[in-house]
Every structure is written in structure tokens, then in C-alpha cells.
Amino acid sequence: MTLLEELSTIVGNAFAGEGLDLSLGAVKPADRPDLAQFQCNGALAAAKAAKQNPRVIAEKIAERLRDQPLFDNVTVAGPGFINLTLADGDLSARIDDLAKDASFGGWRKPVKEKIVMDYGGPNVAKPLHVGHLRAAIIGESLKRIFRFTGDEIVGDVHLGDWGLPMGQLITGLRYEQPDLVYFDEGSSGPYPAEPPVALADLERLYPQASAACKADPSRAEEARKATSELQKGRPGYRALWRHFVALSRASIEREYADLGVTFDLWKGEADVDPLIEEMAAELQSKGLIEDSDGARIIRVARDDDKKEMPPLMLFKSDGAVTYGTTDLATILDRVQSENPDRIIYVVDQRQRLHFEQVFRAADLAGYFDAEKLEHLWFGTMNGNDGKPFKTRDGGALKLRDLIDTVTARAKMRLAESGLAEGYGENETLDVARKVGVAALKFADLSNPRVSDYIFDLDRFMAFEGKTGPYLLYASVRVRSVLAKAEAKEAGAAGAAAIGAPEERALALILLAFGEAVREAHQKRAPHILCDHAFQLAQGFSKFYAACRIADEKDAKKRASRIALASLTGRQLDLALNLLGIEAPARM
Ligand code: ARG
């Protein structure tokens, strides 16, 4: 139970004691922290229903609560708000419990689920776009939050490795090196184990080939043909394609690693290719497929639809499959190989219609309950011009370049602030990379998921305010305070003895962690954990400014403060970890 849930139960019981509904006892943090710590507005609703004076009801509830030793003060304010303040002794006991708890007060789910999470979606040989960056950052954090609360998560990268770009690459390479064995018609290998090109060639070939296809319809036709031959199994093309995927995957893996993002499965769209024929036959027998000008479609519209809902195209008139086909087959594959309770997609908002169609089709087909398929879409990271962020030369975002940029900027900011000095080249660079990536990730995660935001490196990188670097600095500072206490032989952490206002405030923040985790999980909203981490850092900073720690004369107070500091450090690091942010040991 989180603290708010526990308090709500206690106040709810008081309502029940008056013959009123338990749910009226809902407690939330006080709107006026200067007057109380918590409040309950249930008396207002109760009075409305019973046509009574809310202050009279509130007084009755307050009277029942005043008996309880956990409260220091229970008052009735305004039209009938019940204001609650916990006793310092109760707060101290709760902090002691928190310090013993392996999850530092984090919330755990009563009923656990197995969930496949799809938060990658990079495409072979194509640079990642901003949507991929946000999917990775948000998905990694959600994965960690869900895992922490007890769910079993299987993260799948779902590589885009099966569409037209593959045919464009194949034809592009054929123009450059027509004599390669992969292009021999009728040959069935064997083919060399070494790739005929390097990653840099792919990065050059793909944009070239895709531009050529745009400019020249005959090139586009060739690419379409190559795609279809690849998908039908032409051995030389398959062999070439395997090289492309392997090269690309190695580089994509490195970029995700630099971002602290990992996946359990490295499946791709191509993996479900063998399922498609059988799936189509089954859908046909269920009467779900219709012919439409030579194409085969599944109608997913409903009478009560408020917007237009086009059918899902299963096969184009030339027989080619679509993005919808592979996503539907992927659901089938996930059911067969993982049997999850739920599937979550962390993908760009531009794909909302696509997922709506796929979810409806999966539900119609009986593959998966649409209620348990979630598209957690997100807004766009924009540039200063309000359009999706692009690199300075107007090109698509290369994650590698972005990470280099934030690292360089972090290095500069650290030097300006006199931080991470004299550490040796390697450590300084490591700190800079962690600060840079933290700046990027925190800036992304601290906005509500569905909002757009503007990429503003100066603001992300500030050591003051609600930023990644500020939080890393806070984490490092807590650690250095504790190290100083140890060096001064100030003694170990001991029982909490909350007395000063700043201790009380910090304790309340520490105790709000459970609620933050619960809400972040329920709303699929990492920004709630960002808020918590920021409040914790600020709460510590005020506590540290007002209370002596290692230098405190009173041994009991000293041990209590060391305990508070140590708990703050551990909870802050846990919160950062759940956000997917790595803190350096020092800076
Ligand atoms: N490869 C896709 C793209 O770049 C994203 C894939 C997202 N996941 C999915 N199951 N469709 O747009």
C-alpha cells in the first residue's frame, strides 16, 4: 500500500463509522502545505448526497481521527476540508521501514502480467528518426517501471527489415557492382560469409537508391520487383539481405547501448513472413477477407465510428504485404512464442490509425483482445521552427551524431562549472557522456508523453532547474555528503528522529515514492517519476542547507540525518534508474 492508500483507508473507516461510504475517505497531498500535510474532501460529497452541512460531517470525521496516535493534528478548514498532519513519531517510524525496504517504498502490483513491449522499430539501413529516439527513451523507462512493479516484460526491437527499402538497396547495389554473385539469376549459392559492403556503403547506398527511385519510375519499378523477389525467397537476394540486416543491426545495437537502451528480443518484420500464408487462409475461412479491386482487405470500421476507419490492407493487388499485414502476423507470432497478457507499443503518434486498424483486425480474428493491446503514442521532438527536429544540414537524425553533440556540450558545461576536473581523459569523457545522455533523456521524459517539445540543448544541459544534469549532480552530492560523514567518523545511520521542518518535508517526499511509482505505472507516464526525482533533489538540498549532518553534535540526530541522506541517495538513484538514466560515481 502507498502512504496515500493507507491514509485513505484510515479516513475511509472513519466515514464508515458514521455510516457513510468508505470511498469518501480519499486522501491527497494538501493543497496548502503551509496548513497541513494531507487533506480529504470527502465530507463535501457526503454532505451533498445527504443534504447536510459539510462542516458538521467533517467535524464528526475529524473527531474520530483525532483519537489516532498517528496524527499530530486534524482540523476542519473552509467549507469542510479535513486537514491532516502526521505526528513526527509516525513519520520517523515510516522512514525506518522505508530504509529496510529493498525497494525504498516503491509500489508493487498485486496482479502481475506478462507483457511484450515494442519500443524500437528502427529500419535496416535507414537512419533513425526522432520518433525512434523517443520510442527508445520512453519505452526503456516504461520497461523498467513495469519490471520494478513486478510485471514480466519482454522487450522486442521489432526491426523494420522487410519492406521496399530492402529492394531499393538491392537494386542500388546492383547498379554499383552488377557482377556480384548474389545477382546471378538462377544461382542458389552458396554465398560468401563476408558481406560485400561495409556499413558506410549501406549508409551511402540507401539514400542514393531511394532518391533514384523517387526521380525515376523505372528504378522504382525495379526496386519493387526486387522486394517482391526477395520476399518470395530468391536465394541471392536473401543472402544479400542477411548481410544488410547483420551490418545494420550491429550499428543499431551500438547506438542503443550508448543510450542505455536494451531489448530482450531482436526480432524483425521478416520473422513473421512464414506465418502470413497460413494466417491469410485462416482469416479467409473466418470470412474476414474481402476482395477490393484485386487487393485483399479486412474491414474494421464500425457503425459508431466517429472518424473514417479505412480497411486494413492485407495484400496489395500485386500480392505484396503491407505494414498492417506484418503487424497483424506479429501479434500472432507473439501469442505463439510468448503468450503475453498484454502487448504495448511505444510508437510515434503518426501511427495511431495504423494501430487502431491492426488492433481491431486482431480482435476480429480472435488473436488478441483489443483492450489488451495498447498503443502508447507520443508527441514530437521539434526544432526551433516547430517542425520535427532535423540536424543542422536538414538531414534525418543520426543517433550517433546526436550522442556526440550532447557529449561535447556536456564536456563544455562541466568545464565551465569546474566539475569533473583532473579525472583523466577516460573518466571525464565517461562523465560527459552520462551527463549529455541524462540531459537528453530527462528532457524527453519530463514532458507528459503525449506533448510535443522543443529540442533546446542549452536548457536541457543546465545544472540548475528541472534537468538531467541537476539530478545527476544531486545524486553525486548526496554520495559525497555521506562520504564526508564517513571520513569524519560521524557514525552509522540510525533510527529516524524527525524534528526540523526540512527533515519533515524530505521525509514526506521520500514517503511519496510509492504513489509516484503507482501513478507512473498506471498512467504509463514516466514524467511522474521525473517530478518525484526533482522534488527529492530539491528536498535534499533544503535539508542539507538547514541541517548539520556530519557536524551535528547530538548523536541521535546525527544518525537520523545520515539515515535520511542515505535513503535519499538510494531512492534518487533508483528513480533515475527507472527513468533509464545512469549517474556517474562522481563529477
Ligand atoms: N519500423 C517502423 C517505423 O520506422 C516502426 C515500428 C513500430 N513497431 C511496430 N510494431 N509497428 O515507422
Side-chain angles (χ1 to χ4, degrees), residues 118-123 126 129 132 157-160 269 323 327 330 334 345-347 351 354-355:
D118 183 321
Y119 53 95
N123 302 312
K126 276 169 66 171
H129 58 64
H132 296 126
V157 74
H158 197 70
L159 216 53
E269 295 172 355
Y323 185 41
D327 256 327
T330 302
R334 286 172 178 165
Y345 300 80
V346 186
V347 183
Q351 301 195 15
H354 164 76
F355 283 109

Side-chain angles (χ1 to χ4, degrees), residues 113-121 136 139-147 151-159 249 253 256 260-268 271 334 337-338 344:
E113 286 186 307
K114 178 168 180 181
I115 302 172
V116 172
M117 230 185 239
D118 183 321
Y119 53 95
E140 177 69 27
S141 173
L142 288 175
K143 175 182 75 179
R144 292 175 184 219
I145 293 169
F146 276 64
R147 257 190 201 150
D151 287 320
E152 182 186 347
I153 306 295
V154 181
D156 182 12
V157 74
H158 197 70
L159 216 53
R249 173 178 160 172
E253 251 179 287
Y256 277 134
V261 174
T262 59
F263 296 92
D264 307 294
L265 296 179
W266 277 81
K267 287 197 163 182
D271 283 304
R334 286 172 178 165
S337 51
E338 303 292 336
I344 288 179

Side-chain angles (χ1 to χ4, degrees), residues 15 18-21 24 42-54 56-57 60:
F15 273 96
E18 293 294 327
L20 295 162
D21 202 80
L24 292 165
L44 275 72
K48 213 172 187 181
K51 296 205 171 60
Q52 281 183 23
N53 180 347
V56 173
I57 299 183
K60 283 186 189 154

Side-chain angles (χ1 to χ4, degrees), residues 179-183 187-197 235-236 238-240 242-243:
D179 297 332
L180 288 175
V181 49
Y182 304 92
F183 301 120
S187 130
S188 59
Y191 299 98
E194 281 300 302
V197 287
R238 287 277 173 130
L240 205 47
R242 272 191 292 275
H243 285 309

